[in-house]
């Protein structure tokens, strides 16, 4: 009878710990973006803004990329982080159509994540009439940044595939199963 009480108390304690720990285990996420997801814009933005539910840092050298129809690739300036908000100046080029803003950040809990926001331009973005040497060097870097998503896609970690809470539930289940097996063996010996 003592073992049943021990097993029951361990189970209740484990479930209580799991219940209180799950909010702390929740990862931050993208709360809003400018341009907003699904927005239709008559003129392209000159700056993008991503607001997350918690503080972030930039994950790599090209954390933000914007691509669109006909292989259009926008020039994204240096991204700035202020707590949970990431902003970056952009120079739009390309035809009207659907554009995808891709981002990669690391949250305060060291969980790196990437995501995307799709929006539409209803009119083509005007091409710059003259390129300064600075914008030409940024343009020459664009192919490098458009090649960056391929390696990032292969950086999937087990945490990205299975949420942390699933691993905790699995660990609790294994412990409970071990206790049940131990109780059955001790009962058979009596």
């Amino acid at each position: 009878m003592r073992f049943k009480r021990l097993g029951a108390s361990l189970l209740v304690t484990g479930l209580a710990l799991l219940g209180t720990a799950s909010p702390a285990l929740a990862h931050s996420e993208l709360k809003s973006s400018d341009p907003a997801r699904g927005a239709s814009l008559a003129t392209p933005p000159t700056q993008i803004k991503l607001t997350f539910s918690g503080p972030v840092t930039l994950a790599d050298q090209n954390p933000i990329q914007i691509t669109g129809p006909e292989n259009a690739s926008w020039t994204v300036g240096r991204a700035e982080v202020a707590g949970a908000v990431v902003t970056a100046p952009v120079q739009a080029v390309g035809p009207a159509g659907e554009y995808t803003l891709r981002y990669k950040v690391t949250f305060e809990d060291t969980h790196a994540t990437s995501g995307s926001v799709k929006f539409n331009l209803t009119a083509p973005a005007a091409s710059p009439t003259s390129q300064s040497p600075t914008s030409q060097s940024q343009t020459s870097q664009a192919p490098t940044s458009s090649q960056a998503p391929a390696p990032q896609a292969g950086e999937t970690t087990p945490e990205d595939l299975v949420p942390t809470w699933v691993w905790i539930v699995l660990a609790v289940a294994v412990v409970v199963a071990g206790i049940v097996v131990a109780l059955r063996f001790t009962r058979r010996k009596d």
Side-chain angles (χ1 to χ4, degrees):
M1 191 67 162
R2 203 178 338 173
F3 290 113
K4 284 185 181 180
R5 287 185 188 156
L6 175 65
S9 65
L10 285 174
L11 179 61
V12 169
T13 303
L15 291 175
L17 286 173
L18 181 62
T20 58
S22 59
L25 294 173
H27 290 297
S28 298
E29 59 186 20
L30 181 66
K31 283 177 34 178
S32 65
S33 64
D34 184 15
R37 188 177 311 272
S40 289
L41 309 173
T43 58
T46 56
Q47 174 178 300
I48 59 98
K49 179 178 177 182
L50 302 171
T51 304
F52 296 89
S53 59
V56 296
T57 57
L58 301 177
D60 62 18
Q61 290 180 341
N62 296 315
I64 298 169
Q65 301 163 357
I66 302 174
T67 56
E70 299 177 17
N71 295 323
S73 181
W74 292 12
T75 301
V76 179
R78 183 170 180 246
E80 300 286 331
V81 178
V85 178
V86 177
T87 57
V90 295
Q91 183 179 6
V93 293
E98 183 178 72
Y99 285 80
T100 303
L101 181 156
R102 289 182 179 80
Y103 62 87
K104 185 166 184 177
V105 296
T106 302
F107 294 111
E108 194 171 49
D109 64 359
T110 69
H111 175 76
T113 190
S114 58
S116 64
V117 174
K118 292 184 185 257
F119 61 95
N120 290 296
L121 281 184
T122 58
S127 298
T129 54
S130 64
Q131 290 187 339
S132 66
T134 304
S135 63
Q136 287 177 349
S137 66
Q138 289 175 343
T139 305
S140 67
Q141 292 175 357
T144 305
S145 58
S146 68
Q147 295 170 358
Q152 290 174 1
E155 292 177 4
T156 304
T157 63
E159 292 83 16
D160 293 335
L161 298 174
V162 180
T164 305
W165 67 268
V166 172
W167 292 109
I168 292 172
V169 169
L170 183 61
V172 169
V174 168
V175 169
V176 169
I179 291 171
V180 168
V181 170
L183 289 174
R184 288 193 182 204
F185 278 123
T186 57
R187 211 182 278 171
R188 286 184 183 168
K189 289 182 180 179
D190 291 338

